[in-house]
Amino acid sequence: MASMKISRRWIHADDDPDSINSRLPDDLLKIIFSRLGDNQDHASVARVCRQWRDAESATREKITVNFSYAVSPGYVIDRFGQLRALKIKGKPRASDFGLIPVDWGGYGGPWIAALALARARSLYGALASLHFKRMEISDEDLALLAETFRDALQVLKLEKCSGFSSLGLESIARSCRDLRVLSLDESDIEDKGSQWLRELIHSCASLEALNLSMTGLELGDIRLVEEIVSSSKLKSLKLNDLEDPSRNRRLDLRQSSLQELGFCGLIQVSLPSSLSSFSGDLQLAMEPNLASALTSLDLLYTTANHEQHLEIIKGCRNLQVFKARDIIGDVGLELLASHCKGLQRIRIENMRQQEQHGFSISNSGMLALAKSCVHLQSFSMYVHDAANSSLEAFAESCPGLLDFRLGILETAPDMAEPLDAGVQSLLQRCPSITKLALYLKEGGLTDRGLESIGRLGQQLKWILLGCLSDSDTSDRGLVSLARGCSNLRKLEVRNCPFSDAAIVCGIRGLPLLRYLWFQCYHRVSDRHFALLGPEWRTELMPEFYSVLCYRTLVSGSRSDHPPSVRPMLGGGGGGG
Amino acid sequence: MSSMVDFLGIEEKVSTSVSAERLRKLEELTDEDVMQLTREDCRRYLKEKGMRRPSWNKAQAVQQLLSLKSLCDPSPASSGAAKRSPSPPLDEAPAKKPMAMTSIDLKAAAAVDAANLTMFYDGAVSVFDDVSPDKAYAIMLLAGDVKSWPSINVAANTNKVVISSSELPQARKASLQRFLQRRREKTAKEAASKGNSNKSPCRGESSGKHASDATDPATSPLLTEVSS
């Protein structure tokens, strides 16, 4: 090996007897490539030459299709024949907030049909895990899926999907008896009875995780829950609303080996000692032993009031993940920070229109968090006010930050100072931040701030900018951001004063950008977007005042878009 | 020889290039006519109008010409065309190599109210009044390399149609919204049926205004997804 001469003529590698390819057999290449961890490395390796690409494709075990229209099902299936796990994402993230037409698209049908075809030809034998996110899936699709995979399917996740009912779930339950994980998290499911659940309990003895949170499904009786838990090896159970009409049953889970539990509803529950994660409706503080054993607590959907929240937080010591609404206030945040110094992920939501509790998070709460929780990796918060001091505190104390999302409430007073300096510190001292969201208000960020994001943000992969005002920011800022963020893959912009021409310039300047969504344009011109080139598609959604641009290997515009979505002129389209 | 001034459509001066007799004036062509042009004709028009390196790709050349045409079209927004008079020395210095410049140096005048565009070309300075930001960027796009822009500061966005924050209530994650709405309804129902004041943790608003948020370009897609 040491004496091997590497040929310089890579493009003729196959012809050259001295090239590395004639020394290394394909099998050896495959072994080497299977050791590559990062998908980025896989992609790089695949670009070297055809032989390497084929060898690499054969070793890829997990693929995530980040945007279902970026590539055709046939392409993925033809290229990666040895997949064990496939994840496909459909609708833009903005659909979580009702900002995308309901019938926009993102159909899972073509993917499932393509998989069915492949399996009928005895391909794709290793595929055991499927994850669809924000996609439209029908009952027929699920029936085909069940028929195609049968006992081969071990993991099925339909996250934030819609278009199916509990009847589709019945066909899955009946055919896929080796299912270990079934997650329907936040999917919009038409409830046609709980027969599917009985079928699931009856057939799937290997089930380890069942997630039905925030679905449209009513489980009805808590006795069904007891049945699920007692008859299976469940480690994780997340349910929707539980009802107990009699109001005096106690759900006793102490004998179970559940590690993760979630439910909503006013039910009395005896929790198991194995519990490490809880989400849902908690009214009272847990038993001290239980509370201190928790590593993950999600109070987003709890009906507890402010004081009850404080009591709950007081018992926690070892939380790594914490989610709640801002009803906890600064007091609650400070309490959390002082008790749970190992905190890694925090998310605080605000629901001003739905609840008025008078509490909010302010800059001082954030300061307390920053100084105390030095292991913070993921920060996502709606706050009443923010100043550079807290961002600088995060920069100084939390070098491990990966994901930083800050939102200022629109009901908050005017910003005292732009956050330019704080953002700059954050990017300078937290080199691992790959996701950044700044949803601010007038005066929140200036062109200088945008320019420093460009200058210091080489590692950023996703950026969300919101509500920047036209008195402090302009096209110039966007262009200087785009000049610097060479690793940017996705950009989301809302209510910012950037012209479509500047946005197009930005896209053209970003080599890795594959997706852009922006809302609130003042004028869009087909001709500007035509300059993007043939590998980009642009969709206009006039009723939603938004534009979606994405890179795709598929030629032509998609045929399954609704009337509310208008594809714009393609780049290389007309006139040969 | 064409000049930068022609490229912007500021001057009425017609190109004196040889091909002017063969080609009709760009201004006389409709968009449909442009789309029927051959690639070579497109490139000829573009070069004539001052474009440094028109695309070799026919479809892109057509698009570039359409964009250029829209810049040249007289319209209220493109008031650059209206101000033809004060155009400094540029037309006197054309004789040199036409588009040998390597970069366009664009700097906006610091005027408070006007959106001016200042261009430096071949040692001369031109100032064009009332160039909208869109036009400025279209110009820069056509001119080529994004990387060669030093500082761009088109002052005072004259088309302030951006929705201000006050009209744009923040978006809420739909699932959380539905949960709180459902709970409000439930506690209201319970309070009504029980007849006593059941102290519910959250007092909600009475109207379901959030239902309109779906089509309201209001709600902010923000921060969720702390999970992977």
Side-chain angles (χ1 to χ4, degrees):
Chain A
M1 282 283 200
S3 60
M4 181 159 50
K5 195 172 62 172
I6 309 284
S7 166
R8 270 187 221 131
R9 295 178 298 127
W10 286 108
I11 47 170
H12 302 298
D14 295 341
D15 304 331
D16 188 341
D18 286 331
S19 94
I20 194 170
N21 282 342
S22 46
R23 303 292 188 104
L24 284 179
D26 279 354
D27 288 345
L28 195 51
L29 278 177
K30 286 178 189 171
I31 292 173
I32 296 170
F33 296 156
S34 64
R35 303 282 165 90
L36 291 171
D38 197 29
N39 261 6
Q40 271 304 105
D41 291 338
H42 275 270
S44 305
V45 142
R47 279 195 276 269
V48 170
C49 65
R50 169 143 297 195
Q51 189 172 352
W52 282 37
R53 193 188 92 132
D54 293 343
E56 182 279 319
S57 299
T59 61
R60 201 86 77 103
E61 294 196 342
K62 284 171 56 168
I63 282 275
T64 298
V65 179
N66 281 294
F67 192 63
S68 60
Y69 290 113
V71 75
S72 70
Y75 175 91
V76 174
I77 289 170
D78 286 345
R79 183 168 161 192
F80 302 106
Q82 307 301 323
L83 286 185
R84 291 187 190 277
L86 178 61
K87 176 175 177 180
I88 306 161
K89 306 204 287 196
K91 294 182 195 177
R93 196 184 71 100
S95 70
D96 288 353
F97 306 88
L99 300 174
I100 298 285
V102 177
D103 53 354
W104 174 87
Y107 297 100
W111 291 88
I112 294 172
L115 286 170
L117 265 176
R119 285 192 57 103
R121 289 172 10 223
S122 304
L123 300 171
Y124 262 54
L127 191 61
S129 167
L130 281 174
H131 184 166
F132 295 95
K133 186 168 179 181
R134 292 196 196 99
M135 296 192 78
E136 286 291 312
I137 313 255
S138 66
D139 283 346
E140 291 72 31
D141 293 332
L142 289 178
L144 181 57
L145 200 65
E147 178 68 38
T148 301
F149 283 89
R150 299 201 156 260
D151 292 342
L153 197 63
Q154 292 181 7
V155 176
L156 180 62
K157 298 185 185 177
L158 302 170
E159 186 186 345
K160 295 175 183 166
C161 295
S162 52
F164 62 101
S165 75
S166 48
L167 295 178
L169 295 174
E170 225 179 292
S171 37
I172 296 282
R174 214 174 281 130
S175 303
C176 306
R177 291 159 207 263
D178 274 349
L179 216 50
R180 286 190 299 107
V181 175
L182 179 64
S183 174
L184 307 170
D185 196 7
E186 286 194 55
S187 285
D188 198 5
I189 308 172
E190 199 186 338
D191 197 352
K192 292 184 176 171
S194 56
Q195 180 56 30
W196 74 275
L197 189 57
R198 283 172 224 282
E199 188 69 54
L200 192 77
I201 299 168
H202 183 251
S203 308
C204 304
S206 323
L207 204 61
E208 291 169 15
L210 179 62
N211 185 341
L212 308 176
S213 61
M214 290 295 126
T215 61
L217 299 170
E218 295 293 338
L219 283 185
D221 217 333
I222 62 171
R223 280 174 293 184
L224 207 51
V225 179
E226 285 171 347
E227 220 183 303
I228 303 173
V229 176
S230 63
S231 69
S232 66
K233 312 176 190 166
L234 272 185
K235 295 260 186 311
S236 168
L237 180 64
K238 290 188 177 183
L239 303 171
N240 209 22
D241 281 344
L242 281 183
E243 296 284 334
D244 176 26
S246 66
R247 289 212 184 277
N248 52 17
R249 274 191 81 100
R250 194 175 185 86
L251 184 57
D252 191 348
L253 300 173
R254 281 171 298 186
Q255 302 310 314
S256 75
S257 47
L258 282 176
Q259 293 168 3
E260 226 179 21
L261 177 66
F263 66 86
C264 285
L266 297 170
I267 298 282
Q268 299 177 69
V269 186
S270 296
L271 298 172
S273 53
S274 50
L275 201 67
S276 61
S277 163
F278 182 83
S279 62
D281 214 334
L282 212 52
Q283 293 287 297
L284 305 165
M286 289 181 178
E287 243 189 321
N289 290 339
L290 276 173
S292 54
L294 280 185
T295 54
S296 169
L297 183 60
D298 178 348
L299 298 173
L300 284 173
Y301 300 100
T302 189
T303 53
N305 63 21
H306 172 76
E307 287 72 28
Q308 286 165 332
H309 271 86
L310 298 185
E311 285 305 309
I312 294 166
I313 293 172
K314 272 184 199 155
C316 299
R317 287 281 177 280
N318 292 306
L319 289 183
Q320 292 169 10
V321 179
F322 180 77
K323 301 179 194 178
R325 304 190 307 281
D326 60 359
I327 192 174
I328 65 171
D330 273 345
V331 182
L333 190 57
E334 282 154 14
L335 205 55
L336 177 76
S338 64
H339 286 217
C340 299
K341 297 194 194 292
L343 199 64
Q344 292 174 13
R345 291 156 67 149
I346 184 166
R347 175 173 140 205
I348 306 286
E349 283 276 356
N350 165 280
M351 305 299 292
R352 274 297 139 94
Q353 285 162 328
Q354 275 77 27
E355 56 177 3
Q356 279 130 28
H357 44 64
F359 295 98
S360 59
I361 310 288
S362 76
N363 198 59
S364 53
M366 286 203 287
L367 272 170
L369 179 73
K371 289 181 179 158
S372 187
C373 300
V374 300
H375 301 284
L376 211 56
Q377 291 174 5
S378 197
F379 171 91
S380 168
M381 225 177 259
Y382 267 102
V383 303
H384 182 258
D385 64 273
N388 285 301
S389 56
S390 56
L391 273 80
E392 275 152 11
F394 282 115
E396 178 158 336
S397 309
C398 310
L401 274 173
L402 306 171
D403 189 338
F404 190 86
R405 311 184 194 201
L406 180 68
I408 314 273
L409 299 176
E410 79 268 13
T411 51
D414 289 342
M415 294 208 57
E417 53 181 8
L419 298 177
D420 294 356
V423 171
Q424 188 169 320
S425 298
L426 208 56
L427 290 175
Q428 257 165 346
R429 305 185 66 170
C430 303
S432 308
I433 295 184
T434 55
K435 296 183 178 181
L436 178 68
L438 297 168
Y439 203 94
L440 308 175
K441 341 172 29 161
E442 187 147 328
L445 198 72
T446 72
D447 271 350
R448 268 188 51 230
L450 290 174
E451 185 268 334
S452 58
I453 295 176
R455 193 165 31 90
L456 301 163
Q458 278 71 39
Q459 72 279 25
L460 293 172
K461 289 187 183 169
W462 173 78
I463 294 177
L464 164 68
L465 295 172
C467 294
L468 302 182
S469 80
D470 56 358
S471 50
D472 314 302
T473 55
S474 67
D475 285 347
R476 168 196 190 172
L478 180 69
V479 172
S480 47
L481 184 151
R483 237 186 261 158
C485 294
S486 46
N487 250 318
L488 200 62
R489 318 291 161 99
K490 275 179 80 164
L491 179 61
E492 297 177 28
V493 174
R494 189 168 194 247
N495 194 27
C496 293
F498 306 133
S499 70
D500 64 337
I503 285 175
V504 167
C505 289
I507 295 177
R508 278 160 60 98
L510 290 165
L512 293 179
L513 194 75
R514 51 174 166 81
Y515 176 106
L516 165 76
W517 176 86
F518 68 100
Q519 190 180 34
C520 299
Y521 51 82
H522 54 94
R523 199 157 57 230
V524 283
S525 156
D526 281 42
R527 287 164 194 171
H528 290 157
F529 289 96
L531 292 164
L532 286 179
E535 73 274 16
W536 281 87
R537 266 192 214 154
T538 304
E539 294 178 4
L540 184 68
M541 287 165 276
E543 290 152 35
F544 289 81
Y545 218 35
S546 59
V547 179
L548 176 67
C549 306
Y550 54 93
R551 260 215 318 240
T552 178
L553 294 177
V554 185
S555 55
S557 37
R558 61 183 176 106
S559 51
D560 59 1
H561 68 87
S564 54
V565 174
R566 176 165 90 75
M568 290 174 94
L569 277 181
Chain B
M1 204 71 70
S2 53
S3 67
M4 283 308 296
V5 177
D6 271 344
F7 176 66
L8 290 173
I10 306 294
E11 288 282 291
E12 281 237 279
K13 242 167 70 155
V14 175
S15 156
T16 54
S17 73
V18 170
S19 51
E21 281 155 7
R22 263 203 307 129
L23 297 173
R24 283 151 53 201
K25 290 185 195 166
L26 183 60
E27 292 75 24
E28 287 171 15
L29 299 179
T30 62
D31 281 7
E32 287 69 39
D33 291 336
V34 171
M35 306 232 256
Q36 302 302 321
L37 288 174
T38 64
R39 186 185 66 182
E40 281 318 305
D41 282 348
C42 279
R43 285 173 51 82
R44 225 167 268 134
Y45 275 119
L46 288 167
K47 281 191 199 164
E48 187 184 306
K49 287 291 180 182
M51 188 165 192
R52 191 160 47 105
R53 274 203 293 258
S55 176
W56 281 105
N57 177 295
K58 181 183 174 183
Q60 283 181 13
V62 165
Q63 290 301 337
Q64 284 170 340
L65 194 54
L66 286 171
S67 296
L68 176 57
K69 208 168 147 325
S70 74
L71 282 180
C72 298
D73 284 343
S75 66
S78 71
S79 47
K83 293 223 175 187
R84 291 167 202 273
S85 35
S87 160
L90 202 57
D91 11 326
E92 261 131 50
K96 308 186 191 166
K97 43 225 144 110
M99 292 298 122
M101 62 184 175
T102 51
S103 70
I104 297 178
D105 194 7
L106 295 160
K107 256 197 317 202
V112 172
D113 294 322
N116 293 344
L117 185 64
T118 306
M119 295 182 75
F120 297 81
Y121 168 60
D122 221 16
V125 180
S126 311
V127 179
F128 304 103
D129 297 329
D130 290 330
V131 177
S132 70
D134 286 354
K135 281 255 157 86
Y137 278 91
I139 292 165
M140 291 188 267
L141 279 173
L142 289 168
D145 197 356
V146 171
K147 289 187 178 47
S148 66
W149 308 349
S151 57
I152 302 148
N153 191 7
V154 186
N157 197 340
T158 48
N159 296 313
K160 238 158 80 159
V161 184
V162 175
I163 294 176
S164 66
S165 276
S166 53
E167 299 162 26
L168 200 75
Q170 272 170 329
R172 297 292 182 253
K173 201 163 175 224
S175 53
L176 206 45
Q177 258 179 318
R178 280 196 303 269
F179 165 75
L180 287 169
Q181 172 70 5
R182 230 174 35 234
R183 199 202 35 212
R184 260 216 326 262
E185 288 163 3
K186 214 155 125 191
T187 43
K189 211 167 48 174
E190 278 173 9
S193 62
K194 280 193 182 158
N196 56 3
S197 59
N198 218 355
K199 184 171 182 203
S200 62
C202 301
R203 295 167 283 118
E205 277 183 329
S206 50
S207 73
K209 184 159 195 295
H210 72 281
S212 65
D213 284 349
T215 48
D216 198 338
T219 43
S220 75
L222 191 48
L223 312 178
T224 55
E225 284 190 55
V226 174
S227 57
S228 58

